[in-house]
Structures are given as C-alpha cells and as structure tokens.
Amino acid sequence: MPGVASDTAINGGALIPFSDDTDHSLPVYPLNHGLTAPISRLAISWSHGNSLRVSIFAAEPSRSSDSQSCGGKVLEVKLGGGDPEITDAYLRRIAYGSVSPFALLQSRRSEVSALLKAPSPYQLDWWEHVLEYSKEITSLLGGPKLSPCAIIEDPNEIVKKGEEPTCLKAAWELMEIFYADKQSQAWLPERLVEWLAGYDSLFTSTQETIHGKLVNFQKDLVNIQVIEDDPRYWEAMSSALSVGWLDIVVKMLRLHGSYQLDQLSNRELENGLVEAVAVLISKMPRLRPESPAGNLGECFKSKPDFTKAWERWRSQITKLDCSPFWIQCDNHQTREGLRNMLQIMLGKTENLSKATCYWLELYISHFLYIRPFTMGMESMYNLAQKCIQLKPPSSTHRLTGLMIGIIGENTEVVLAECSREFGPWMVAHAIELLTAGSEHAEILLHDENYNLGGISIVELHRLVYAQVLSSHALTWQIAPIYLTACMKQGMGLLENLLYRQPVQHNDLLLKNIEICRLYELDNISSNIMKVAGVYHWKHGHKGAGVFWLQQAQDATRLNRIAQQLFDSVGKSISDESFKQWEGVIELLGSESKPAGGLEFLHKYRDFKKSLQQVSGGKSSDAARQATVSLIMLMKNPSTPQRFWLPLLYDSLKLLNWKDGPLLNVCETNLLLNKVEELSLAKLRPDFIEPNVPGEAIRSIRLALATNLGRAILEE
C-alpha cells in the first residue's frame, strides 16, 4: 500500500497499515489489546450481531529476552459503531417490542388482500392500519426519561426538560408525518413545527440551533440584572418566534422588566407595547384542527376560515408596526427587539434568515410566515434547496439526508438513508410506512427484482434483518416472524436457522420445537428431535435420547439402540443385569408410541414384576399374569432370539407349577417350537450363546413336556 502512514489499526503494531491517501470516510477501528510482545498473527471471524471476533497472537519471546508477556488476546469489534444514542439492551427491547405490531400488520394485510381478491390492499383506508402500527412502534422508541420536574414551577425555566430525544425516534416520526398520517396532510407544516420543537436539540451536535441558543441563555439568566438590556434576550426570543415556539416567546416576554410592580407605573407605555406583541403572538392563527395542550395560537380546520383569520391577524400586526407609540418608547433595546419580532411575523425574509440558525429552521419559518397556506407537498423540495443555499450546513447531520429524501419524494434515497444511518431494523419496519397509500412505492418495493435473485426489495431487507436477529443468542427466537413474511426465500432460511440451534440445552430445544409447531413445520420438528435423541444417547444421557427418539417416532434408530442395549446388557437377563437398564424401561412409559426393539424391554419389565410377586409367595393370580407376560414376549417379533432361552429358564417355576398347568396345549406347543428353533439356530455362525447353565435346555424341555402332558389330561 503506497504511502503507508505510521498510524495503524492496531495500537503499536504494523499489521494493518493504511494510507494517507485513503478516503477519510472509511472507518478505522482501533484494537486496544495491551500486549507488549510483538504481534505475529491475527484471526478474524464473525461474532454475534454485526460484530467481529479478533484473536491477536503474540510472538514467542526469545530466550535472551526478559519479557514474560506472551500468549494473546481476543477482542470484539462492533462494525458500524451501532447507534451511539441507544444501548444494545435497549435495541433488543425495541426488537422484541416491534414483533407484535409487525405481525398484526401482516395479518391485516392478508385479510384485506383476501377481501379485495387482489394482492394490493391499498384501495381501502389501509393507511389507518399503518398509522396504528406506527404509533405502537413510536411508543417503543422513546428515549430515557430525564429527572422529574420540580413541584413548584421555576418562572425562569424557558426550555422544559422531558424525554431525551433520539435520532431513531425523530426519523420514525418524520416518516410517519409524511407517509402514514394522511389526515394531517392538510396541516403538514404545523406537524413539522411540532417535530422540530421536539428534536431540534439533536442537531446541536453538528451546528448551532435555536434550542441550544435557548439553553445557553437559560444558564446565564440568573446572572443577568436587567434582562431587556441584554441583546441575547431579544435574539433568543426572535429565534424561538421564527420557528413557531409561541409559548416560549410569550413566557420570555413576561420576564421583561416592565412587568415588575415597582416599575409598572414608570414604564406603562413600554409594558403596553410588550403586552400587545405578546397578545398578538398568542393569537396567531394555526391551520390545524386542534393545538396540543399548553400551546398557544388559534386553530382553524378549514382553509377559508384560516385565510380570513390570517389576514385579520396580519392587519393587526401592520397596524401596531405603524403605531406612533414606538417613537415615545424610551428603551432602545425593547423598541428594536419588539419591532424585529413584528417583522418576523410579517414574513420578512431577511429577519427570518437572521433569526434562524440552519436551513431546517429557516425552512419551517417560511411555512409559518411566508407560505402559511401550503397544503401537502406543494413545492416543498424546491424550498428546501433554496434554504440550504441560504444557510449551508457546516456538517451533515444523520437526519438531513433522510429529510431531503422524504421532501424530494425519493423512495430509494429514503431507504438508503434509513439503512446507512439506522440499520436493518429501521428499514425492515419503515418500509410499511413508505408503501402506505402509495401505488408507486408499492410497485417499486414489492415487485420481484431479477438482480436480487427474484425477490423484492421488501423481502431483501426483511431477510437482512432476520439474519441480524439470527446471529444473536438473545434475538434468534423472533427471526421466524420476519422469515415467514418472506415468500420466496424465507422458509428455506427458517429451516437453516432451526437446524443450527444447539440441542444440548433442553429449554432451547423446547423453544425450537414450539416454533416448528407454530409454523406447522412437522418434518423439521421431527428431524430436530431425532438429532436431539442421537446427541443425548451418544453423550451418555440414555433416557433423554430414548425420549426424544420416541417423540420423533424414529423406529429405525430405536431398534439400533435396542441392539446396543442388548449388547451392553450381555447374554443373560438375570436380576443383576436387569437393574442396569430398568430405568430406561421406566422411561418408555405405557403410551402406545413407536419404540422399536425397545418394546421388548417394556414387556419384560411387566414380566419381571410378575415373577417377583410369584417368588414372594403371592397367589396363583400372579403366576397366571406372569405366564401371560411370558407368552406375549415369546409371540412378539421384537423379542430378540438370543433371549428366548434365558426367558424360558427364568420361567421354570411357572412351567412346573404344582397347583396345575398354567399353559394350555397351544401355548406349550408354541414354546416347544421356540426351543426347536433355537436348536436349529445354533448351526448359524452368528448365533450368540446365551449365558445359562449347561443343563438349562434339558430342564426346559422336561418342564415343557411335563406341562404338555398335564394340559392334555386337563383338556
């Protein structure tokens, strides 16, 4: 790399140098590893979310070196820096809180589309659903609460403290104003005045603002002896008036020294002029249905009524401006300050430009005093360009590009700004606002795009956001909501997400299976349970392995497990070996679920219990029950052949029952046939010799022959 600078991306090292010629907009992430030994190697891999895991390996110290510092360090680097105003924990809260409104809106979209028999729901008042969705999202984006106000209001408090504003919420509300809230299109400038009042402080980071000017003046207010003689007093009031903050202006006018009781009689004329301006400001006509509580101004719903009130109000201002009382006012600062405010209300461009600090404040002042009858998007973009030329920004704020894109009605720019400045969450959710009532945006964002692999822009951004959620252990559970809203590639990625989840943690496994159930992914659920069963079995959790394989109805693997169990038990099923796998048998339960070869263990458990009752001196009923269990075991094809002889040998007491034969002729012949099959099976090379005494076969044959004779005599 030419012109390598001494600065590097690693403190004190030279592994990743960068050139002075490189574009300064490229981000550089310093790694404070703290290693004193030279660095020999880096390993970089993806971590959770939008983060990289960087492993730094120090070089081996030489034998002659006294340095004991070796080894390495693992650091996590968050790309893009995230949102500096919002913590990761709060972003996760927003992510979880926005799931319900998003899912509800998608459900309503499906219902409306079904009613219209068409894919587009915008023929009806769809924007009302989108506005409700937007309000719910807005409630999630509130910044941290500031300290509560005092019980007794401070008369010198000009700027009231409330919720700490954030750029994320400001951007969302801005899009809601222009795209979702169709009712307020007639009084759009008034909505912008409200928006600026709440978020002007955010622009203080890049340029001087009216909010910053008011805050600074409020800090110095306690040290000012005669407030009306301070030029900053009139400058702050004029600035607040230029953007329509009427309540602040009137409150500051009431701080004028002429209102003090000891000076009222001597400054009656001056006080009258101040009060006249305050009354005019408080009576300013506003083209809007109603004003928020505490805000001054007279509201008018219809444009004709507003026009009449505006003309009447402007004539009163002109009349006051031409009044001879100004000549009689002795206080120069008061006279000039009040007349400057009148010129602002009369819409003088020079006064407005001087009172505002940057282009957005000047832009809104034009709507208030020069173009008060503006409705909708009438020439808003051209006016914005003019204001930017008059007051070019010293540096670009992250909200500026979004504002220009919205005013210019450029959907692509709005999407790009949302993605660049606010990340995947913003784009995935704000798209719903962009398409509210706009057929052009609907076609642009929802039509399939060949360059995107046949998916739409909407689906692309949902997939990107779902990938971000999937990469974090605390948010992957909500990714399916967004994946299922992607018709083309969502289900495939959802399958990959579910298969990637570890199965060793029971809670996580149950959550995974529940997600499969919610979206009717029975095949995936079965496969996940099979993987869980095999994992637990291989790691020694025999009971858990059998349970999950049973839930998956995997008869093939259960048969294999049965063979492994039989091999581990040995060649006999004595009382000692039975205890080794009795717990697994108990886990099988009595439900009629597929258990493969393990069904033999379940039935043998019942047989063993009956034999224990017989050995304990119980009645003949226990012996008959044990005989029934024996016949069921010998008839069942799941009973391994190598256990036939041990079963019959354990049942000698039943075959020689002194009170009478417990087996009838057919049952006795069945057992004799099994003995003959064993005799023939010994000739096969794979025959497994049972672990029973050598005389066991003769004892069994004799007992069966005796039982057969007794059964024939009884019949």
Side-chain angles (χ1 to χ4, degrees), residues 366-655:
H366 272 70
F367 289 120
L368 283 172
Y369 302 108
I370 299 178
R371 302 175 56 182
F373 307 112
T374 301
M375 300 182 70
M377 302 290 289
E378 300 173 7
S379 304
M380 294 188 76
Y381 181 74
N382 293 333
L383 178 60
Q385 293 297 327
K386 178 182 177 182
C387 292
I388 291 176
Q389 291 176 1
L390 291 174
K391 283 189 172 291
S394 55
S395 59
T396 303
H397 191 269
R398 58 193 303 203
L399 290 171
T400 301
L402 178 64
M403 172 70 82
I404 296 299
I406 292 174
I407 295 173
E409 301 182 82
N410 194 324
T411 305
E412 294 93 333
V413 171
V414 173
L415 273 181
E417 290 295 326
C418 286
S419 178
R420 183 167 65 92
E421 298 293 348
F422 303 103
W425 176 89
M426 184 64 156
V427 184
H429 294 83
I431 280 180
E432 303 297 338
L433 304 184
L434 298 179
T435 56
S438 172
E439 290 290 347
H440 170 72
E442 162 69 11
I443 295 172
L444 174 68
L445 299 179
H446 282 275
D447 278 6
E448 296 176 0
N449 194 322
Y450 176 78
N451 295 330
L452 299 178
I455 64 175
S456 64
I457 296 177
V458 170
E459 182 165 342
L460 171 66
H461 287 291
R462 286 175 182 170
L463 290 175
V464 170
Y465 178 58
Q467 293 277 29
V468 173
L469 293 174
S470 302
S471 64
H472 201 289
L474 298 178
T475 56
W476 74 267
Q477 299 95 324
I478 58 179
I481 300 290
Y482 299 90
L483 290 175
T484 52
C486 302
M487 303 305 295
K488 292 286 186 180
Q489 299 183 10
M491 295 309 295
L493 291 175
L494 176 57
E495 291 184 15
N496 293 337
L497 170 64
L498 296 174
Y499 282 137
R500 284 207 326 262
Q501 302 310 313
V503 297
Q504 61 265 34
H505 304 297
N506 196 50
D507 292 341
L508 194 59
L509 178 58
L510 292 174
K511 170 63 74 174
N512 215 4
I513 294 172
E514 176 64 15
I515 292 174
C516 293
R517 185 191 66 79
L518 289 174
Y519 297 105
E520 300 180 353
L521 304 174
D522 297 335
N523 185 48
I524 298 177
S525 176
S526 178
N527 291 337
I528 291 173
M529 289 188 285
K530 290 177 184 178
V531 172
V534 172
Y535 173 86
H536 285 295
W537 180 264
K538 287 185 175 181
H539 286 77
H541 309 140
K542 307 298 184 183
V546 170
F547 171 79
W548 286 116
L549 290 175
Q550 278 191 299
Q551 296 296 316
Q553 301 184 356
D554 189 354
T556 302
R557 287 183 174 82
L558 285 170
N559 278 320
R560 293 178 185 174
I561 287 178
Q563 296 303 319
Q564 292 183 26
L565 266 180
F566 300 152
D567 294 340
S568 64
V569 167
K571 298 180 181 180
S572 71
I573 46 177
S574 61
D575 291 341
E576 292 75 14
S577 61
F578 174 74
K579 294 177 182 179
Q580 299 179 28
W581 37 268
E582 186 176 9
V584 177
I585 298 174
E586 293 292 339
L587 286 173
L588 294 178
S590 58
E591 297 86 355
S592 57
K593 295 178 181 177
L598 293 175
E599 186 180 1
F600 157 71
L601 301 176
H602 187 202
K603 294 183 181 300
Y604 179 73
R605 189 267 313 268
D606 298 335
F607 170 68
K608 196 72 176 179
K609 286 183 178 180
S610 300
L611 274 184
Q612 290 172 353
Q613 291 179 355
V614 172
S615 302
K618 301 290 183 180
S619 62
S620 299
D621 292 338
R624 293 190 183 92
Q625 182 61 41
T627 304
V628 171
S629 298
L630 173 64
I631 297 300
M632 291 178 64
L633 280 170
M634 299 305 290
K635 284 183 177 181
N636 197 313
S638 67
T639 303
Q641 192 181 57
R642 66 174 183 258
F643 290 116
W644 289 357
L645 193 59
L647 277 170
L648 293 173
Y649 184 73
D650 289 345
S651 305
L652 282 177
K653 188 172 183 179
L654 301 177
L655 301 179

Side-chain angles (χ1 to χ4, degrees), residues 17 102 124 149 167 297 303 313 369 443 457 496 516 607 666 712:
F102 177 83
L124 297 179
C149 300
C167 288
K303 190 172 182 179
W313 181 70
Y369 302 108
I443 295 172
I457 296 177
N496 293 337
C516 293
F607 170 68
C666 293
I712 293 174

